[in-house]
Amino acid sequence: MEVVAPRIAKGRPREFCTEQALAAALGVFWSKGYEGASMADLTQAMGITKPSLYAAFGNKEALFHKALDLYEAEKLEYMREALKQPTARAVAEHIMRGAIDAQTSSCDPKGCLGVINSTACGSEAESIKALVIERRQSSHAAIVERFEQAKRDGDLPHHVNVLGLTGFLVTLLQGIAVQAGSGAVRADLEQVVETSLMVWPTR
């Protein structure tokens, strides 16, 4: 007697592109912030139902984690390229000009996703705020190390406080993001860069 193996039911294939749906979710989080993005906003932008969202991405928090990964991979590439520049001044200029390019893009919302979500204040967003701060600290540490290397190489004067210099740059970046979100035009933001480079410490 022949034994027939039972058929294993196959799940229904997803009827949407997860990459496109995630990009759409990123746009919602970017423009509205974590707290401001409702599930209705997300599902409408992603073109999927709530059960499909849960099945593909998990809950809202898990979706934000994935969206933040996408944001850093695609929108912050200039940060990684900046660290390869030959001088500390060139690093800072590359970062600031890259930030302006990102902020003045016609394809994306204005402002920085990290700034938007690190200022969230509701209890629901505490873990999100902690996540964004953790990611920011990682980027901050990378810049500090690059400037420390510049100091060891003699590119920066020995008296320069690297932590203070990094804080100065980060504050400029946050200011650029806030100003862009408030409607500042590219020419205004470029003036900020030019002025900051005039006072940048060099040997």
Side-chain angles (χ1 to χ4, degrees):
M1 179 177 177
E2 182 180 1
V3 177
V4 179
R7 290 186 177 182
I8 300 175
K10 295 182 179 180
R12 291 183 60 187
R14 290 187 183 131
E15 298 176 352
F16 63 93
C17 174
T18 55
E19 293 180 358
Q20 291 179 353
L22 183 58
L26 171 59
V28 175
F29 284 129
W30 197 344
S31 60
K32 296 192 173 187
Y34 181 78
E35 291 176 302
S38 68
M39 290 300 289
D41 293 330
L42 291 165
T43 53
Q44 181 177 1
M46 298 166 76
I48 61 177
T49 63
K50 190 180 294 187
S52 294
L53 187 154
Y54 287 133
F57 301 105
N59 59 16
K60 180 182 175 182
E61 183 175 342
L63 175 62
F64 180 80
H65 281 234
K66 293 180 174 66
L68 185 58
D69 289 339
L70 177 63
Y71 174 79
E72 292 186 343
E74 292 190 352
K75 311 302 181 183
L76 299 184
E77 174 63 24
Y78 67 88
M79 292 286 289
R80 292 183 286 276
E81 289 299 316
L83 297 175
K84 302 175 186 177
Q85 301 304 306
T87 65
R89 187 180 187 278
V91 169
E93 181 173 7
H94 194 96
I95 290 176
M96 287 189 287
R97 295 200 184 281
I100 289 178
D101 288 340
Q103 299 298 342
T104 56
S105 168
S106 60
C107 302
D108 298 313
K110 300 298 182 288
C112 172
L113 183 65
V115 171
I116 291 169
N117 290 284
S118 65
T119 55
C121 57
S123 58
E124 178 192 10
E126 281 303 312
S127 62
I128 295 300
K129 186 174 181 179
L131 171 66
V132 172
I133 291 174
E134 179 183 348
R135 299 284 185 100
R136 182 187 300 161
Q137 289 173 338
S138 177
S139 298
H140 187 277
I143 297 173
V144 167
E145 174 53 33
R146 178 62 186 85
F147 288 168
E148 288 285 8
Q149 183 62 53
K151 196 172 178 179
R152 291 191 292 269
D153 294 341
D155 173 45
L156 283 174
H158 66 86
H159 66 271
V160 168
N161 183 318
V162 168
L163 287 176
L165 186 61
T166 304
F168 170 66
L169 176 59
V170 170
T171 300
L172 286 169
L173 294 174
Q174 292 175 341
I176 288 172
V178 172
Q179 289 297 313
S182 300
V185 298
R186 187 183 187 96
D188 296 333
L189 302 177
E190 287 179 342
Q191 284 184 351
V192 173
V193 175
E194 295 298 335
T195 302
S196 66
L197 292 175
M198 289 172 62
V199 300
W200 191 263
T202 56
R203 292 187 65 85

